Amino acid sequence: MKFKLIKPIFNFLNNFSMRKWIIAPVLASLVMFGVSACKQNESAPATMSSAEAEKIVAEGNYEEAEVTAPPLVPAPIGDRKAKKVIIRLETIEKVGELEDGTQYTFWTFNGTVPGSFIRVRVGDEVELHLKNNENSTVSHNIDLHAVNGPGGAAEGTLVAPGKEAVVNFKVTNPGLYVYHCATAPVPEHIANGMYGLILVEPAGGLPKVDKEFYIMQGDFYTSGKKGDKGLLSFNLDKSIAENPDYVVFNGNATSLLGKNVLQAKTGETVRIYFGVGGPNLTSSFHVIGEIFDKVYIEAGTKVNEHVQTTMVPAGGAVIVEFKATVPGDYVIVDHSLSRAFNKGAIGKIKVTGDENPTVYKSKK
Ligand SMILES: [Cu+2]
């Protein structure tokens, strides 16, 4: 999805060390609100006591997590200790484009498809604020697959337009997890673009790489057909039949093409955090001309090596790594290739640098 105008309003200041003096009293109120809301709902995810909340605010021992729009990811966590982090997401309904001239009313987290990339580490205490923009037409919530708790926090975050919910959860398992809206009818909310990724780094962090990118695949079911101009809407029958008009990366058929191609240099190691929002299709994720040196299988802890294509389920993710050794254009696809060449699931990584004839050369 192309996003031109809306920048998340919660990124209003950059320097948190100064900002916390402004936010602390507000935060104290929000934490107390969250505690009180959770107390009324015994099935809500883990809460903290009011004493704990006051202690954290008094000590200033918390951090506003940086979140990023695709294809960017926040800076690595590295070896920092577990701590309390605050994450702010806002559900925003907005018109964007599936491709040039083809408009669609996306439902989003923070105004992008996929939603903001969240990066935390195992052991962190997360205080998640989910606001539903006042211009929304329906309620939304969030189910984070990284959460141990009813609905992955969905029950505790269901919010009407103009309202905000706060939930607290402990990050217990490392890995890369999908989050998505889980408000009924769930397939429609997801089909409109309501998904994203949350990375939970292990203690000590992930191995260092030179480049990191964030890509999610989604299938879109419209009232028209691919390439139609104007504003299209969601089509329920096509969604039930699992027959999308568009299958795209990052919400738009050209999100990783043209001026948006990903860039790397020869010799650099590249890591891609890839997820599938769905709502229906799996992905046969492949980069033409590259071999994944490492694949974190199903985005868990186990690593496979020397993989050509990795299968990613709807509501699942994978972490892949490769080294860029030969300059050129490398095409990213769902290797169910009609989706790539006819429905939009195609992107590109451009590798620049010196030729490497010992690895590859061509002569015509
Ligand atoms: Cu929703």
Side-chain angles (χ1 to χ4, degrees):
M1 156 185 203
K2 286 185 177 173
F3 46 96
K4 297 171 183 167
L5 298 175
I6 297 178
K7 197 163 185 178
I9 58 171
F10 43 80
N11 289 333
F12 59 101
L13 286 170
N14 288 326
N15 188 334
F16 185 72
S17 63
M18 293 176 65
R19 185 175 43 187
K20 67 184 177 185
W21 301 111
I22 304 166
I23 289 178
V26 179
L27 176 66
S29 318
L30 290 172
V31 169
M32 295 304 293
F33 167 77
V35 168
S36 131
C38 288
K39 275 184 178 167
Q40 290 165 18
N41 179 1
E42 293 196 349
S43 63
T47 63
M48 69 175 63
S49 70
S50 56
E52 283 175 309
E54 284 170 4
K55 183 164 175 283
I56 286 165
V57 171
E59 291 175 349
N61 185 26
Y62 53 88
E63 173 183 297
E64 189 102 3
E66 177 198 9
V67 296
T68 55
L72 304 178
V73 298
I77 300 283
D79 58 1
R80 79 152 167 79
K81 291 192 170 72
K83 66 194 303 187
K84 165 142 179 165
V85 295
I86 297 166
I87 293 164
R88 297 178 194 277
L89 295 177
E90 181 174 9
T91 54
I92 301 169
E93 303 171 7
K94 58 186 284 194
V95 173
E97 286 189 331
L98 282 163
E99 64 180 318
D100 288 351
T102 305
Q103 297 174 313
Y104 189 83
T105 303
F106 293 93
W107 294 354
T108 74
F109 290 99
N110 283 355
T112 61
V113 177
S116 296
F117 192 97
I118 302 168
R119 191 164 197 162
V120 294
R121 60 148 286 169
V122 71
D124 280 348
E125 304 275 348
V126 173
E127 178 178 300
L128 173 69
H129 295 241
L130 184 69
K131 183 183 178 194
N132 189 355
N133 186 273
E134 60 271 20
N135 296 320
S136 292
T137 57
V138 295
S139 293
H140 297 290
N141 65 2
I142 187 168
D143 168 357
L144 301 108
H145 292 182
V147 169
N148 285 296
E155 293 179 19
T157 55
L158 184 64
V159 274
K163 303 291 186 188
E164 179 173 303
V166 181
V167 290
N168 296 279
F169 62 89
K170 177 95 167 174
V171 183
T172 53
N173 298 61
L176 179 65
Y177 297 89
V178 169
Y179 67 79
H180 61 87
C181 185
T183 304
V186 182
E188 180 177 352
H189 283 247
I190 294 176
N192 286 343
M194 297 197 81
Y195 43 79
L197 290 178
I198 173 171
L199 172 65
V200 180
E201 293 203 29
L206 289 168
K208 189 178 178 316
V209 291
D210 297 308
K211 290 275 169 65
E212 294 185 311
F213 300 112
Y214 170 27
I215 304 172
M216 285 191 83
Q217 180 170 321
D219 23 302
F220 289 85
Y221 306 84
T222 77
S223 52
K225 61 182 188 303
K226 187 177 184 300
D228 281 355
K229 303 300 181 194
L231 180 61
L232 305 182
S233 57
F234 172 73
N235 182 282
L236 179 63
D237 291 336
K238 287 182 185 174
S239 175
I240 292 170
E242 302 186 11
N243 183 25
D245 304 292
Y246 286 87
V247 183
V248 296
F249 297 139
N250 291 354
N252 183 288
T254 60
S255 67
L256 302 175
L257 293 175
K259 65 182 180 2
N260 303 316
V261 298
L262 305 179
Q263 305 274 347
K265 294 189 176 69
T266 51
E268 287 187 325
T269 46
V270 177
R271 177 182 289 145
I272 299 175
Y273 299 102
F274 180 81
V276 176
N280 297 318
L281 302 188
T282 60
S283 178
S284 301
F285 186 61
H286 178 79
V287 177
I288 298 172
E290 278 294 349
I291 298 154
F292 299 140
D293 300 316
K294 282 188 183 178
V295 170
Y296 291 73
I297 303 166
E298 295 177 342
T301 306
K302 284 192 175 160
V303 173
N304 198 358
E305 296 179 308
H306 316 309
V307 175
Q308 58 194 302
T309 301
T310 187
M311 181 71 95
V312 186
V318 71
I319 304 171
V320 301
E321 296 175 8
F322 60 88
K323 185 165 186 173
T325 50
V326 177
D329 287 349
Y330 294 84
V331 177
I332 308 163
V333 294
D334 177 341
H335 214 296
S336 293
L337 286 173
S338 295
R339 300 174 188 172
F341 292 101
N342 300 94
K343 295 190 174 184
I346 192 164
K348 201 176 278 186
I349 301 175
K350 187 174 193 61
V351 176
T352 53
D354 293 337
E355 294 292 337
N356 190 350
T358 57
V359 175
Y360 178 79
K361 63 183 170 189
S362 68
K363 195 164 78 176
K364 286 183 182 168

